[in-house]
Amino acid sequence: VLDRSRVVALDEAARIDERVSAVRRLAIGGFADSAAVFDALLRSRQPQALQRAAVEAMSRIGAPETGAWLLARWSQLGPGLRSAAAAAVFGRTEWVRAFFDAGEEGRVPLADVDPAQVRLLAIRREPMIRAGYARLAERLQTSPRREGLAAYRPALGLPGDAARGAAHIAPACAPCQSQASVGPRGRARQA
């Protein structure tokens, strides 16, 4: 069954629903036996349904090495798949440990992971996860996004000048914006 499932999972001529079912069946086997199939399925040219099924199958197999293996391929995962991969990784203690290592070493950019998913680690009971989250939270506090926002925070205290603002946004934003009489929506309101 597993041999046939591996063949169908990679058969691009097969219907997508058959391929997804085949990938799901791989969960009854070992990770090492299907690692090459999972690797091929996580490539960006594969349909997202297959990629999600692969992540789900790997999660159900639950082999200790799978979390680190999945995180090592993080850069080739699309944004939607990264969320599914993070959910799978955060579901197993040993995989969370691999996530902390990858995050601390910069192999998994923290900006790629939903902050809400990361915050859920704070309420886990395992001391290792709580300690890892504490280290990670320090890095989240100094993320590039936070630094960028902090750099512009003083501008909030400056007095506004509507005329200068309108002149600034008009060239780039007028086609979509409805500021006063600027843009198609603004013109429609005047009519």
Side-chain angles (χ1 to χ4, degrees):
V1 170
L2 287 172
D3 289 339
R4 176 73 182 135
S5 294
R6 288 184 200 102
V7 170
V8 172
L10 296 174
D11 183 2
E12 294 185 11
R15 291 189 344 244
I16 192 73
D17 61 323
E18 292 174 346
R19 293 180 71 193
V20 167
S21 293
V23 171
R24 288 182 177 145
R25 280 191 298 275
L26 296 178
I28 63 173
F31 173 73
D33 298 330
S34 298
V37 174
F38 293 136
D39 190 44
L41 293 173
L42 292 181
R43 306 217 183 251
S44 61
R45 66 181 186 83
Q46 294 293 333
Q48 192 157 10
L50 280 174
Q51 293 179 326
R52 285 187 180 277
V55 169
E56 290 167 9
M58 287 186 281
S59 181
R60 285 197 313 267
I61 292 171
E65 70 275 15
T66 306
W69 184 93
L70 187 57
L71 292 166
R73 286 148 183 80
W74 189 264
S75 64
Q76 76 187 42
L77 305 179
L81 193 57
R82 287 178 181 167
S83 179
V89 167
F90 292 168
R92 298 192 178 271
T93 301
E94 61 272 6
W95 295 10
V96 174
R97 183 177 293 127
F99 170 75
F100 289 145
D101 293 343
E104 289 173 4
E105 295 167 8
R107 291 181 285 125
V108 173
L110 298 180
D112 288 356
V113 184
D114 179 0
Q117 285 180 306
V118 176
R119 280 192 296 276
L120 288 175
L121 296 175
I123 60 173
R124 296 278 294 265
R125 293 185 180 166
E126 303 94 327
M128 179 278 304
I129 292 180
R130 293 181 82 118
Y133 175 78
R135 288 191 314 274
L136 194 66
E138 291 174 15
R139 291 195 53 214
L140 289 172
Q141 296 297 325
T142 60
S143 71
R145 182 171 184 215
R146 283 192 188 273
E147 291 170 6
L149 290 172
Y152 286 98
R153 186 167 304 284
L156 294 174
L158 298 174
D161 184 339
R164 283 183 62 204
H168 179 74
I169 68 163
C173 302
C176 302
Q177 295 297 319
S178 60
Q179 301 292 330
S181 62
V182 179
R185 292 185 195 131
R187 282 193 278 281
R189 272 191 272 153
Q190 283 183 342

